[in-house]
Amino acid sequence: MKIRTTVTLAAATVLLLGTGTAAATPGWSPRPHEIKPFLPAGNTNPSIADGVALGKQVATYTASGLGPAAANSAAPADSPERYIDFPGGTLPPGVTVTEAQAINALKRIKANLAAAGLGLGDVVSMRAYLEKPPGAETADFAGWNRAYRQFFANTDLATGQPVPVPLGSAPPAPPLEVNPARPARVTLEIANLPVAGWLVEVEVVAAYRR
C-alpha cells in the first residue's frame, strides 16, 4: 500500500492499572510474563499511552487485513456505503461513512480475536489505514477516532468507570464495548486500500496473558 500523508503515531497497552507511569527506572525490564503499560502522567483517560513492554515469555497473536464486511446490500457494490452495517444502511445523525466502516471493522476484529481465544482487552498494538472518502480532501481521522473510542480506551483510569463517548453528533453515551486497553497505535492515510469501497483497514497484535 502506498502511504499518502504524514500520520499520527503513538503507543499504548493492554493492562491499565491505576494511572500508570511515565518512565521506568534505569535498568528495568519486564518480568517474563509481564505486560506493562506506560501511560501519560496526570491523564485519567488517554486514548493511547506512551508505550507497552512485553516480557520475553508473553505469547502474541497478529491479525491483519481486517476491514468492514459488506453488510449493506442496498448500496452499490464497491461503494463505501456498502460497508456500513447500521439497520437499513441509514447512518445515525453525524455518523460519517468512515466512522460506520470503522465500527463494522472493529466488530470483525472482536470476532477474529475471540476465535483465537482473545478479547479486545488483550490488544497491545494496532495499525489503522484510512482512505479518504470520495470528494474529501483528507481521510476522516475524527470519525475513526470516535469509532475507536467505542471499543478501546473508554474507562477512567482513576475510577475504573466507563467514560461516555459520542456516536456521530449525538451526546456522549456508554461505549459499545467497555475496554480499558490502550494499544500502541499508528494511523496512516494511504492512497488506496485493497478492497474497493473500503475506507478503513486495521491490523492488531494481542497478547496472551499467562
Side-chain angles (χ1 to χ4, degrees), residues 11-206:
T13 185
V14 62
L15 297 181
L16 301 173
L17 304 176
T19 56
T21 180
T25 57
W28 177 88
S29 64
R31 295 186 298 274
H33 293 282
E34 185 176 10
I35 303 171
K36 172 68 175 176
F38 291 89
L39 303 176
N43 188 342
T44 62
N45 189 32
S47 63
I48 53 180
D50 295 330
V52 56
L54 302 179
K56 63 182 179 181
Q57 293 183 28
V58 175
T60 61
Y61 168 80
T62 301
S64 63
L66 300 171
N72 180 18
S73 59
D78 299 337
S79 70
E81 291 74 18
R82 185 83 166 190
Y83 296 94
I84 61 177
D85 64 353
F86 285 96
T90 302
L91 295 176
V95 172
T96 65
V97 175
T98 295
E99 183 177 0
Q101 283 202 14
I103 290 171
N104 184 337
L106 290 167
K107 288 178 180 177
R108 294 189 70 198
I109 287 171
K110 178 184 176 182
N112 182 293
L113 291 169
L118 295 160
L120 294 173
D122 298 311
V123 175
V124 294
S125 179
M126 176 183 294
R127 186 177 293 264
Y129 303 95
L130 306 182
E131 184 176 329
K132 67 180 182 179
E137 294 184 359
T138 62
D140 181 11
F141 289 95
W144 156 252
N145 284 326
R146 287 196 301 273
Y148 168 83
R149 284 280 201 174
Q150 292 287 348
F151 294 83
F152 291 90
N154 53 40
T155 63
D156 187 293
L157 300 183
T159 66
Q161 297 301 306
V163 175
V165 295
L167 178 67
S169 57
L176 296 175
E177 294 284 342
V178 176
N179 182 11
R182 283 140 169 97
R185 198 189 82 180
V186 60
T187 304
L188 309 170
E189 179 183 347
I190 65 171
N192 298 103
L193 288 174
V195 177
W198 275 14
L199 302 178
V200 178
E201 183 179 352
V202 183
E203 64 182 61
V204 298
V205 176

